[in-house]
């Protein structure tokens, strides 16, 4: 099926027009300041222009708080720079003044574009389709300190194939997340053969359970991925398992979408609650595989040198 | 910190997607970000066998076949009672859970080739198909994960699974040449050729994979294989460009019932292009996926049937569906992968027109069914769990089945919960048609309702909506279904002219101010900026 990577309602016609007019306005001003050699105003404008075009390019749109932070910071920095030097300040003021009061071709162009920009912007604002409620979910919330794992029911109840080694879980076992470690990881040093065997079992489990969503190549593009919003996590990306502790990832796998706190929108995540379908050991082995196959290492709080 | 993460992520995504920038900027900007992920892949120059065992064997089998060979007769495979092949759980763990099954390479039969029907492919054919993948199946595209060099290594290794690559040589390649322009008359001729060559026997009169022989088709291994649905070109294994379709028509798909028509056109070089143009014209390039389904306001009466004229004025939104693989019992090989919806409303009612493709009309249990889901109560910051709600936030299900041809209105607190039936007679009406492999279902619901019967649907409101579908003919019911996560339905406010007035007003206001400024500054200018002006003039 064809891929949609994220949800986006493109800018409407008037929105696009007003963006183009604004870009044109800023560019004309930029040329004007460059000719006048008013560099402080030039840089202030350049930064604004860059920020604005970045804002237009980045999809999905940035959280507005970030845009504001950027504008505020750069404006502040520019003003600080300008106001330390009295001469520069005068120059700067004059620059802006002359842009509107002096008679030169740039002003004619500015005065021509400006009303169009205002009109299109007003039109875009007033005719704007209301956007759907912004769903900014927290992707990596604070995990609970303790979790209780309920092993999957065994026996004939389910016909769908499960992992290779069935059962193994402990009944309603409660776990302290801070102290939790992958019991198979220590094998890497102690018994490399056994470790590889566990990774291989993890691979089997991955291709029996996860790749439909998280993809063959663990990049989040499985053949069912498009039907879900949010999209399945991309394990190759440095922003997912690579920056997480293994106990956190274990919690995510065991409790899935429904285990997330409200700030992470548990109601919309298709991530299954694997404690219902895999044993504890099986979940650890899948984790072994997804780290191994991507070449990432789980994040630890211990010193890196101690681990190596 | 998290916001910086979002920023980087979004930046990376958008840079990779903007075609203009994709050439230079990603190299400069995203290399540091991608450094860690691509490095291991680029550095390890694995020979074909190792790559195959690491990346392909879980589907295609360590020995090049996902199926279990008969120990007594190695050229035969073990079968399930229904005639389908048993897959090898150990050598190819993913094979039993995907449909179509991964390819068995031991027979040297490949679908997407430039070689004549029945022949082995060129190496280039294999490199190409591995790089781009096979849409509509689980065979992914490998061009981002493997280098071309690595793909060539894998191809060399795949060829060792079949003796045919030793004993046979492909003959002349198909020369595709330049497509004909898809004019009205070309499309008309294409349709005539479609009828003449009886493509409809398998593909159906309207190309929805519902032809009279469609149901019984098997591939050379004995696994069932449905014909392609021409309205979903994005699922074509060999690609959806008109050149791809031309190639499929001329060389056929080895190992499948899809024949080659290379000899069917005589000396007429245009005929296959007319046919390819016609097939190509039946599908959009991509499904029209949107987050919001907008319902258009009308002051008139809403149509009573799926054929009402209003529907032609609205663009359908396509909602991709996945198999229900989230709770046991899971369903890995769903039949319906998409549902298309249009919506309209007036002061009393909301109407949804649902369309989905299903090769057979199944009105006995398990019957074809579909379900629309909205929250029972609208909350600003919470939704019910997307799979039929949860105890804290129940969902409202409008379930239709072909057996009763009626809607039931249900309240649900989860997939496993028992559903409470709500009053539906006075709220709902529906009307359905089935023709040429497509269901069209019109659902109308009163906008105002008692709180216990479901939401009152007000204008300018974003109401979460999700869909499920069942194909009775494939024994789908209950948990065995296709489903989506949450989207929104939005009752668009009636169109208004006010924005034009605002814009015009703003324009004249600003222009007027500018004029005043011009007048004023022309007076000011002379004393205070004359010197400067003079100098800039002398320069220019």
């Amino acid at each position: 099926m064809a891929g949609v990577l994220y949800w986006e309602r493109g800018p409407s016609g008037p929105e696009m027009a007003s963006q183009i007019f604004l870009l044109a306005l800023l560019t004309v001003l930029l040329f004007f300041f460059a000719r006048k050699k008013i560099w402080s105003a030039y840089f202030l404008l350049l930064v604004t222009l860059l920020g604005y075009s970045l804002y237009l390019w980045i999809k999905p749109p940035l959280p507005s708080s970030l845009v504001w932070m950027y504008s505020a910071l750069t404006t502040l920095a520019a003003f600080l720079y300008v106001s330390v030097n009295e001469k520069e300040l005068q120059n700067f003021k004059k620059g802006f003044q002359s842009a509107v009061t002096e008679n030169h071709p740039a002003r004619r162009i500015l005065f021509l574009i400006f009303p169009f920009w205002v009109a299109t912007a007003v039109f875009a604002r007033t005719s704007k389709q209301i956007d759907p409620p912004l769903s900014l979910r927290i992707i990596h919330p604070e995990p609970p300190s303790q979790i209780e794992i309920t092993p999957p029911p065994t026996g004939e109840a389910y016909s769908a194939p499960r992992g290779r080694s069935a059962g193994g879980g402990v009944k309603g076992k409660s776990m302290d997340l801070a102290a939790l470690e992958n019991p198979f990881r220590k094998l890497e040093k102690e018994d490399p053969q056994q470790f590889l065997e566990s990774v291989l079992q993890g691979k089997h489990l991955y291709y029996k359970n996860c790749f439909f969503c998280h993809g063959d190549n663990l990049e989040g593009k499985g053949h069912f991925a498009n039907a879900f919003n949010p999209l399945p996590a991309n394990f190759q990306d440095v922003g997912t398992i690579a920056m997480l502790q293994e106990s956190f990832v274990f919690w995510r796998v065991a409790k899935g979408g429904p285990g997330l706190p409200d700030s992470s929108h548990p109601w919309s995540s298709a991530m299954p609650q694997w404690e219902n379908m895999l044993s504890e050991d099986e979940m650890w082995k899948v984790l072994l595989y997804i780290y191994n196959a991507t070449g990432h290492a789980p994040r630890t709080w211990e010193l890196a040198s101690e681990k190596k | 910190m998290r916001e910086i993460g979002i920023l980087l992520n979004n930046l990376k995504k958008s840079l990779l997607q903007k075609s203009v920038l994709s050439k230079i900027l990603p190299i400069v900007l995203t290399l540091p970000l991608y450094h860690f992920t691509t490095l291991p892949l680029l550095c390890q120059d694995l020979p074909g066998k190792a790559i195959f065992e690491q990346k392909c064997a879980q589907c295609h089998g360590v020995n090049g076949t996902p199926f279990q060979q008969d120990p007594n007769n190695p050229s035969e495979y073990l079968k399930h009672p229904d005639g389908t092949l048993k897959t090898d759980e150990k050598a190819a763990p993913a094979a039993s859970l995907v449909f179509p099954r991964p390819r068995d390479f031991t027979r040297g039969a490949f679908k997407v080739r430039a070689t004549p029907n029945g022949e082995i492919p060129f190496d280039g054919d294999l490199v190409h198909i591995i790089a781009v993948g096979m849409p509509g199946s689980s065979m992914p595209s490998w061009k981002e994960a493997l280098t071309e060099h690595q793909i060539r290594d894998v191809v060399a290794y795949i060829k060792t699974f079949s003796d045919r690559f030793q004993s046979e040589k492909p003959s002349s390649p198909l020369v595709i040449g330049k497509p004909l322009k898809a004019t009205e008359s070309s499309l008309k001729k294409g349709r005539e050729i479609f009828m003449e060559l009886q493509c409809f026997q398998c593909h159906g009169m309207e190309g929805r994979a519902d032809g009279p022989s469609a149901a019984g088709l098997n591939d050379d291994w004995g696994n069932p294989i449905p014909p392609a649905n021409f309205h979903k070109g994005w699922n074509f294994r060999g690609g959806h460009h008109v050149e791809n379709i031309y190639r499929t028509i001329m060389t056929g798909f080895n190992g499948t019932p899809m024949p080659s028509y290379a000899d069917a056109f005589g000396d007429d070089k245009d005929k296959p292009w007319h046919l390819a143009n016609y097939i190509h014209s039946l599908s959009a390039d991509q499904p029209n996926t949107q987050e919001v389904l907008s319902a258009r306001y009308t002051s008139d009466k809403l149509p009573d049937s799926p054929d009402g004229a209003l529907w032609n004025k609205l663009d359908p939104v396509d909602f991709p569906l996945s198999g229900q693989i989230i709770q046991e019992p899971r369903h890995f090989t769903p039949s319906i992968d998409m549902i298309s919806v249009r919506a309209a409303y007036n002061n009393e009612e909301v109407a949804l027109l649902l369309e989905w493709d299903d090769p057979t009309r199944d009105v006995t249990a398990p019957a074809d069914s579909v379900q629309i889901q909205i929250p029972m109560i609208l909350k600003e910051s919470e939704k019910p769990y997307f799979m039929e709600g949860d105890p804290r936030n129940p969902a409202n299900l409008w379930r239709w089945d072909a057996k009763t041809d009626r809607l039931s209105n249900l309240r649900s607190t989860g997939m496993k919960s028992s559903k409470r039936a709500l009053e539906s007679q006075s709220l709902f009406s529906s009307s359905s048609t089935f023709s040429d492999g497509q269901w069209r279902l019109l659902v109308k619901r009163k906008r105002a309702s008692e709180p216990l019967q479901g939401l009152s649907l007000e204008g300018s409101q974003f109401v979460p909506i999700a869909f499920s579908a069942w194909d009775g003919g494939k024994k789908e019911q209950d948990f065995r279904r296709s489903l989506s996560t949450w989207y929104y339905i939005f009752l668009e406010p009636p169109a208004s002219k006010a924005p034009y007035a605002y814009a015009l007003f703003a324009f004249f206001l600003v222009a007027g101010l500018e004029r005043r400024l011009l007048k004023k500054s022309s007076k000011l200018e002379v004393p205070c900026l004359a010197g400067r002006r003079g100098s800039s003039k002398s320069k220019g």
Side-chain angles (χ1 to χ4, degrees):
Chain A
M1 208 186 289
V4 253
L5 287 179
Y6 52 84
W7 297 107
E8 176 197 354
R9 194 168 64 74
S12 62
E15 256 165 6
M16 200 115 85
S18 87
Q19 284 166 6
I20 290 171
F21 283 129
L22 184 58
L23 279 177
L25 266 182
L26 293 177
T27 319
V28 172
L29 263 180
L30 203 66
F31 274 106
F32 174 73
F33 289 139
R35 266 202 65 181
K36 290 263 156 178
K37 301 212 170 52
I38 306 172
W39 297 119
S40 52
Y42 178 82
F43 282 119
L44 178 63
L45 215 67
L46 192 67
V47 173
T48 318
L49 193 67
L50 274 181
Y52 185 62
S53 35
L54 211 65
Y55 158 75
L56 292 185
W57 276 332
I58 294 185
K59 298 282 149 58
L62 293 172
S64 55
S65 59
L66 204 69
V67 177
W68 280 113
M69 212 160 76
Y70 173 86
S71 331
L73 270 178
T74 47
T75 317
L76 195 74
F79 269 116
L80 272 178
Y81 167 73
V82 166
S83 54
V84 283
N85 181 330
E86 182 60 27
K87 208 176 122 229
E88 195 56 34
L89 187 64
Q90 285 306 326
N91 198 2
F92 183 78
K93 269 195 204 152
K94 236 190 249 157
F96 269 96
Q97 217 168 32
S98 65
V100 285
T101 55
E102 203 177 332
N103 188 11
H104 51 79
R107 183 175 76 164
R108 252 165 273 152
I109 304 176
L110 283 179
F111 273 31
L112 199 69
I113 302 175
F114 192 63
F116 283 102
W117 172 57
V118 175
T120 46
V122 165
F123 186 87
R125 254 274 136 74
T126 49
S127 68
K128 196 175 171 188
Q129 271 237 5
I130 307 158
D131 279 321
L134 200 59
S135 60
L136 270 187
R137 52 187 286 280
I138 295 178
I139 297 168
H140 299 127
E142 195 67 35
S145 55
Q146 277 221 334
I147 56 172
E148 191 169 305
I149 301 290
T150 325
T154 44
E156 296 298 303
Y158 297 135
S159 56
R162 296 204 19 242
R164 287 209 310 164
S165 52
V170 185
K171 266 218 168 13
K173 183 174 166 185
S174 133
M175 300 170 150
D176 188 358
L177 221 54
L180 206 55
E181 274 182 30
N182 192 335
F184 297 97
R185 198 161 285 286
K186 60 176 185 288
L187 291 175
E188 191 166 9
K189 267 193 255 153
E190 291 169 8
D191 187 350
Q193 196 53 44
Q194 188 63 36
F195 179 75
L196 279 183
E197 178 59 28
S198 307
V199 172
L200 210 63
Q201 284 168 9
K203 182 174 180 181
H204 274 241
L205 289 162
Y206 183 83
Y207 284 96
K208 282 278 179 216
N209 297 289
C210 321
F211 92 100
F212 315 92
C213 297
H214 291 287
D216 278 282
N217 206 33
L218 299 96
E219 79 295 53
K221 294 190 201 148
H223 53 281
F224 289 149
N226 293 316
F228 301 124
N229 178 22
L231 290 168
N234 171 357
F235 300 141
Q236 301 280 7
D237 194 281
V238 290
T240 64
I241 56 169
M243 56 172 268
L244 299 171
Q245 282 182 283
E246 206 166 8
S247 58
F248 180 97
V249 182
F250 180 82
W251 163 62
R252 285 307 324 275
V253 173
K255 297 293 176 184
L260 288 166
D262 281 0
S263 57
S264 301
H265 300 187
W267 44 82
S268 58
S269 166
M271 172 69 181
Q273 198 168 346
W274 289 103
E275 62 174 335
N276 297 335
M277 292 181 268
L278 298 177
S279 73
E280 191 190 328
D281 281 357
E282 286 173 328
M283 289 191 272
W284 285 122
K285 284 177 185 164
V286 178
L287 295 197
L288 225 49
Y289 173 70
I290 62 176
Y291 278 110
N292 190 279
T294 53
H296 296 313
R299 178 149 151 204
T300 54
W301 296 125
E302 296 155 49
L303 285 173
S305 57
E306 210 179 299
K307 269 264 140 179
K308 284 259 155 82
Chain B
M1 199 52 224
R2 191 166 59 239
E3 296 197 320
I4 304 291
I6 296 176
L7 169 69
L8 288 181
N9 240 355
N10 295 354
L11 178 65
K12 201 170 57 185
K13 268 190 205 155
S14 36
L15 288 177
L16 286 177
Q17 275 171 14
K18 295 277 152 176
S19 55
V20 199
L21 291 172
S22 65
K23 296 281 175 316
I24 350 142
L25 272 178
I27 304 172
V28 187
L29 286 172
T30 58
L31 248 193
L33 301 173
Y34 266 98
H35 186 70
F36 302 101
T37 56
T38 48
L39 201 63
L41 296 174
L42 292 174
C43 289
Q44 294 166 11
D45 214 352
L46 302 162
K49 182 172 194 284
I51 301 175
F52 184 84
E53 282 170 7
Q54 192 194 344
K55 306 241 177 232
C56 324
Q58 59 272 22
C59 289
H60 290 287
V62 182
N63 301 316
T65 175
F67 305 121
Q68 288 186 33
Q69 266 151 357
D70 188 342
N72 304 321
N73 181 1
S75 63
E76 287 294 318
Y77 300 106
L78 297 178
K79 293 197 170 169
H80 291 293
D82 64 357
T84 58
L85 271 58
K86 283 190 178 164
T87 56
D88 189 335
E89 286 297 304
K90 226 183 143 104
S96 63
L97 303 179
V98 300
F99 186 81
R101 296 277 187 256
R103 187 64 44 76
D104 168 14
F105 295 135
T106 62
R107 298 200 178 179
F110 291 90
K111 290 183 178 176
V112 183
R113 317 163 329 276
T115 58
N117 199 239
E119 293 190 11
I120 55 167
F122 292 108
D123 286 8
D125 291 331
L126 294 177
V127 171
H128 168 79
I129 199 70
I130 294 169
V132 301
M134 299 183 90
S137 81
S138 58
M139 170 69 189
S141 144
W142 290 99
K143 60 174 178 286
E144 274 157 36
L146 299 175
T147 63
E148 190 189 330
H149 189 78
Q150 287 174 316
I151 294 180
R152 288 193 180 279
D153 281 348
V154 179
V155 166
Y157 185 63
I158 287 179
K159 286 166 65 183
T160 64
F161 291 125
S162 166
D163 300 338
R164 291 183 62 191
F165 285 100
Q166 235 114 85
S167 54
E168 296 173 28
K169 275 219 146 54
S171 60
S172 56
L174 172 77
V175 179
I176 294 185
K178 228 176 129 220
L180 278 188
K181 249 201 142 121
T183 54
E184 279 297 311
S185 84
S186 171
L187 298 184
K188 205 166 141 265
K189 282 185 200 142
R191 172 75 192 179
E192 280 158 17
I193 302 165
F194 176 89
M195 297 306 288
E196 190 187 315
L197 296 179
Q198 306 208 336
C199 308
F200 59 83
Q201 286 292 350
C202 298
H203 291 284
M205 289 305 271
E206 295 301 323
R208 288 206 163 81
D210 62 324
S213 5
L217 294 177
N218 284 332
D219 65 16
D220 286 5
W221 289 265
N223 282 319
I225 181 168
N229 180 339
F230 293 153
H231 295 265
K232 295 179 182 173
W234 51 85
N235 280 346
F236 283 1
R237 308 289 189 267
H240 176 228
H241 295 298
V242 69
E243 292 92 340
N244 302 140
I245 297 170
Y246 176 87
R247 188 221 45 237
T248 302
I249 294 170
M250 298 302 273
T251 68
F253 267 20
N254 287 352
T256 80
M258 174 63 205
S260 152
Y261 287 88
D263 303 328
F265 306 105
D267 283 338
D268 195 337
K269 290 220 163 39
D270 289 349
K271 269 180 144 184
W273 282 115
H274 294 316
L275 181 57
N277 278 340
Y278 168 68
I279 309 270
H280 182 254
S281 73
L282 292 175
S283 169
D285 287 341
Q286 297 283 319
N288 176 28
T289 50
Q290 306 278 339
E291 187 174 8
V292 178
L293 168 67
S294 276
R296 182 80 58 82
Y297 176 79
T298 165
S299 47
D300 305 337
K301 206 174 150 317
L302 291 168
D304 284 321
S305 88
D307 304 317
L310 171 71
W311 302 121
N312 295 332
K313 289 190 215 148
L314 304 176
D315 281 335
V317 174
D318 298 329
F319 296 98
L321 305 180
S322 152
Q324 192 289 104
I325 56 168
I326 295 146
Q327 288 179 14
E328 297 278 19
R330 291 179 277 171
H331 184 38
F332 293 93
T333 52
S335 168
I336 301 164
D337 66 359
M338 190 177 100
I339 188 160
S340 306
V341 189
R342 299 170 226 228
Y345 75 105
N346 62 16
N347 294 332
E348 284 85 44
E349 290 178 309
V350 177
L352 296 174
L353 178 68
L354 278 61
E355 292 166 304
W356 70 100
D357 293 350
D358 179 340
T360 52
R361 177 171 182 267
D362 311 291
V363 293
T364 53
D368 292 337
S369 312
V370 74
Q371 175 173 296
I372 301 165
Q373 171 186 313
I374 62 171
M376 212 50 215
I377 302 160
L378 201 60
K379 294 189 184 167
E380 202 169 307
S381 57
E382 285 179 40
K383 293 173 196 165
Y385 186 43
F386 75 96
M387 283 169 71
E388 303 194 341
D390 56 77
R392 191 171 65 170
N393 285 305
N396 182 201
L397 314 177
W398 311 347
R399 191 179 286 175
W400 173 90
D401 67 272
K403 190 169 167 218
T404 59
D405 197 6
R406 282 243 202 86
L407 276 150
S408 30
N409 187 21
L410 306 168
R411 179 187 183 275
S412 162
T413 55
M415 290 285 277
K416 294 195 174 102
S417 76
S418 56
K419 316 275 185 269
R420 174 150 26 109
L422 307 171
E423 160 65 28
S424 63
Q425 293 292 7
S426 63
L427 272 184
F428 288 95
S429 63
S430 72
S431 148
S432 69
T433 62
F434 181 90
S435 69
D436 293 311
Q438 187 184 44
W439 276 110
R440 308 182 81 212
L441 169 67
L442 171 68
V443 174
K444 285 205 276 187
R445 209 203 84 152
K446 293 256 152 49
R447 285 178 58 199
S449 69
E450 300 290 315
L452 285 180
Q453 298 171 339
L455 282 176
S456 266
L457 299 166
E458 282 152 35
S460 302
Q461 225 177 29
F462 285 91
V463 177
I465 190 168
F467 302 92
S468 292
W470 294 261
D471 176 358
K474 300 274 159 40
K475 304 269 173 298
E476 290 183 347
Q477 54 183 336
D478 298 334
F479 280 54
R480 291 170 55 80
R481 66 167 83 178
S482 314
L483 48 56
S484 77
T485 46
W486 285 116
Y487 295 85
Y488 289 106
I489 179 169
F490 177 66
L491 308 192
E492 267 176 30
S496 133
K497 295 229 161 52
Y500 291 97
Y502 294 140
L504 221 60
F505 176 73
F507 183 88
F508 285 114
L509 187 75
V510 173
L513 285 176
E514 275 181 357
R515 242 181 76 108
R516 280 195 60 175
L517 203 75
L518 277 175
K519 270 193 186 153
K520 216 163 123 192
S521 67
S522 64
K523 278 182 223 148
L524 270 177
E525 218 176 314
V526 189
C528 77
L529 289 160
R532 278 246 221 148
R533 246 183 87 203
S535 70
S536 72
K537 240 194 195 144
S538 64
K539 243 190 255 165

